[in-house]
Structures are given as C-alpha cells and as structure tokens.
Amino acid sequence: MTPERRLLSIVAPCYNEADALTAFHTALAAALAPLPYAAEIIYVDDGSTDATPQVLAALRARDARVKTLVFSRNFGHQAALLAGLDAAQGDAVVTLDSDLQHPPALIPELIRAWERGADIVYTIRRETADASLSKRLTSRAFYWLLNRVSDTPIIPGAADFRLMNRAAADSFCSLRETHRFNRGLVSWLGFRTAAIEFDAPARFAGESKYAFARMLRFAVHGLVSFSVWPLRATMLLGFGMAGFAALYIIYALFAFFVLAWTVPGWTSTLISVLLIGGVQLLSLGIVGEYVGKIYEEVKGRPLYVVRERHGFGDDQPSEGASSAAGTRNRSA
Ligand code: UDP
Ligand code: MG
C-alpha cells in the first residue's frame, strides 16, 4: 500500500469546548496539511451544553474531513475517546484533547515514529503550564502508588494523546470494561511502543473539567481496575489484627487466672473494640468498591449512547441511536 492511499484518523473528544474548537481545528488542519495521508477528523461531542454543536456544524460545513458523533448526554472523556476509536477507519488513529493542551503540531512527529515501525506512540507530558502544585504532586503520588501495586506498568504523565495503528486500535476497542482507565488499558495491550515528550501549554479557553473530587474518583478507578492489592492489604491487616487479638486474649486469661488481677479494663476494651470496628469498616469499604465494580460490569450496559452521527455516510439524526450504542459498529 502506498503512503498516499493511507488514511489517518484524528479523534478529539469535546465537552463544552466552543471557545477553543475553532482555534483547535485551525491548528490541526495546519499540522495535517504537509502529511502525505488522507485524513478523517472525528469530533465526539460528549453531551456539551454550550455552543459546541453549532461550532462543530460550522466546521463540518467548512471542512469535508470532519465527522461528528453526538452523545445523548455526558458520558465522560474515556467513553468519548472509545466512541471515536470505534468509529475511526484509519490505518493509524491519533487521539488528542480539543482544548489545545495536546499540541496538534506534534502529530507529524507521532506519524514519523509510526512510520519507523511503532504500533503505539505515547506522548509524555513534561509539564502542564497551568496545573497547580497540588495537582502535580497528587498526580505523581498516584502513579508511584499505581506502579507499586499493579502488574501493568503505567507511565507517569502519559497523556491520552497517542497514536495507535489499526491492529492496536482494534485490540483497544475490543476491551469493553465499563470503568475505563484508558492509559492502563493501552499499557496492558503491549505492542511495540515509542514515546515522545511534550510540554502541555495552559488551557486555551474554558476550564478543566477534572476538579479534585473527579480526579480522586478517576484515581480510585485506576487503582481498583488494575490491582487487587487493596484487597490483599485488607486481608493482611485482618490477619495482623487477629494475631494481635489472640495474644491479647492469652494475656487476659493469664491475668485473670494466674495473676488474679482484674482491673475494670475499660480503656483496653474500648480501644480494641474501636480498633477492630475501624479495620472491619475499612475492609468492607474496599471489598464494596470491588463488588460495586463487578456489579457495573455484570450489567453490561453500552459504554456510551450516540444521539447523532454526521459525516459518516450513514447519518442518523436523532433516531436509531441504539444501533450505535457503544457496541462495535464497524464490521471490518
Ligand atoms: N472531556 C470530555 N468529557 C468530559 C470531560 C472532558 O469529552 O466529561 C474532554 C474535554 O473537552 C477535553 C478533554 O476531554 O478535550 C480533556 O478534558 P480537560 O481539559 O477538562 O481535562 P484536563 O486537561 O484538565 O486533564
Ligand atoms: Mg485539558
């Protein structure tokens, strides 16, 4: 196959990005122009409530390469990425954020790494210009912990800005777990990889949708999806407490029968009850986190619901959304 005939897919999720999208598209088009590939640009509107749909319609009118998927509501960044990858037809698929924090100018470099034989090209964020110190520290601590406890190595700072060739993208799309932690899933896949570093600029417009609580939830999902270490730690804690309790019982019996020394013992009773109660609640919480996950997975719901598709040749405004509801819709 000659390079000229190859197709490159770009997947960009957007959630309330009306202010950044036009600038993003201009930068993207400029980055794609010198490349010897045909391109399709898939924007996934993740249930935006601002003018994003209108901006996307304008981009579609201006640029025939633009395709859009509109979700029926907000399903989250990871689901939007998956929907774009499901729909992408290209020989290589590049995913990047539409807020210009993943510089489109880097795409040619990703392509070169792919041409040199990499199946997956990662990008690693060196510095996020507008990330607060606390976000940087918590992010670093999270990746440190995750890599200690998980069997799948996960590169710190790896962004959801990456290129996958067709085989890698197909394998990625075959993973249909509900609580997605895409960075971990991509590492899990394996393949021949290459990495490129970049400096993330500040957000072009709008604000980050990952507030602290959301980051924390994301981190817990990442941990529980890729490690059973918390369960194991709970068990160890349980063993430790049981051992301690056994020794204490022996001591108590010894004190009662041999020393005949039975003080009221209020303090020690209270402490042991509180301690054991606390450990039990903690353990239950951890087990509950996993049980909740199992419940979500067992329901087997689609990972996203598409309300409208534009530019794919089978446009279906409003109706027939179920056929595109997060199940694979590309038969190839
Ligand atoms: N995004 C999305 N759905 C969401 C939240 C975010 O599709 O529920 C998109 C958003 O438009 C952006 C990307 O995901 O293109 C990353 O989001 P954001 O910039 O808020 O995250 P951060 O860069 O702060 O990690
Ligand atoms: Mg961002």
Side-chain angles (χ1 to χ4, degrees):
M1 202 186 287
T2 61
E4 283 72 27
R5 310 246 306 282
R6 287 182 151 192
L7 177 69
L8 183 65
S9 301
I10 307 290
V11 170
C14 20
Y15 178 51
N16 294 344
E17 300 287 3
D19 298 334
L21 263 176
T22 311
F24 170 79
H25 188 77
T26 309
L28 181 63
L32 295 180
L35 297 174
Y37 301 103
E40 62 171 358
I41 302 170
I42 302 173
Y43 287 108
V44 184
D45 177 357
D46 187 11
S48 296
T49 50
D50 68 350
T52 299
Q54 288 83 328
V55 177
L56 287 179
L59 290 179
R60 222 166 36 239
R62 219 172 70 192
D63 189 337
R65 296 172 297 180
V66 174
K67 303 174 179 187
T68 49
L69 291 173
V70 185
F71 280 1
S72 58
R73 62 168 171 87
N74 180 252
F75 279 90
H77 183 200
Q78 310 284 301
L81 282 173
L82 179 70
L85 281 161
D86 278 343
Q89 305 275 355
D91 298 290
V93 189
V94 174
T95 56
L96 77 173
D97 288 357
S98 56
D99 60 359
L100 283 167
Q101 281 194 300
H102 295 162
L106 214 64
I107 293 176
E109 221 176 299
L110 298 184
I111 302 278
R112 274 197 294 279
W114 168 53
E115 286 166 343
R116 282 197 299 266
D119 301 310
I120 299 177
V121 187
Y122 292 89
T123 64
I124 299 172
R125 213 168 25 213
R126 244 184 256 121
E127 187 91 331
T128 304
D130 66 344
S132 62
L133 184 67
S134 67
K135 185 165 178 174
R136 259 179 269 166
L137 284 181
T138 47
S139 158
R140 200 169 301 169
F142 166 64
Y143 282 105
W144 179 85
L145 180 64
L146 191 56
N147 277 312
R148 281 284 161 302
V149 301
S150 161
D151 300 331
T152 307
I154 291 163
I155 305 164
D160 280 317
F161 180 14
R162 70 175 77 82
L163 178 147
M164 287 190 247
N165 70 3
R166 177 72 356 238
D170 280 342
S171 318
F172 178 82
C173 292
S174 71
L175 305 173
R176 307 307 285 187
E177 55 192 79
T178 309
H179 287 293
R180 304 184 72 78
F181 183 61
N182 287 346
R183 284 158 222 187
L185 293 179
V186 174
S187 305
W188 181 88
L189 286 177
F191 284 100
R192 284 169 299 180
T193 61
I196 290 176
E197 291 199 337
F198 75 101
D199 292 307
R203 233 171 185 289
F204 178 75
E207 50 188 52
S208 170
K209 281 93 195 172
Y210 282 97
F212 181 74
R214 201 167 170 176
M215 290 290 295
L216 191 68
R217 226 182 311 146
F218 190 62
V220 172
H221 282 326
L223 263 180
V224 220
S225 304
F226 277 91
S227 167
V228 289
W229 175 83
L231 281 179
R232 217 170 288 149
T234 307
M235 204 176 65
L236 286 178
L237 204 61
F239 273 127
M241 285 307 297
F244 176 74
L247 289 178
Y248 198 81
I249 287 169
I250 292 171
Y251 164 74
L253 292 175
F254 179 77
F256 184 80
F257 288 113
V258 182
L259 304 178
W261 175 69
T262 46
V263 288
W266 182 79
T267 314
S268 56
T269 312
L270 196 73
I271 288 176
S272 50
V273 166
L274 287 181
L275 205 62
I276 292 176
V279 168
Q280 275 176 341
L281 280 183
L282 176 79
S283 313
L284 265 182
I286 294 175
V287 173
E289 186 66 34
Y290 282 93
V291 172
K293 247 200 179 121
I294 294 169
Y295 178 57
E296 296 281 325
E297 300 293 345
V298 158
K299 281 190 285 193
R301 288 205 186 136
L303 306 180
Y304 55 85
V305 177
V306 174
R307 178 161 55 90
E308 290 172 36
R309 293 160 60 85
H310 298 284
F312 290 91
D314 59 344
D315 298 13
Q316 37 183 217
S318 301
E319 271 181 335
S322 59
S323 68
T327 45
R328 305 291 318 267
N329 47 33
R330 185 160 33 72
S331 50

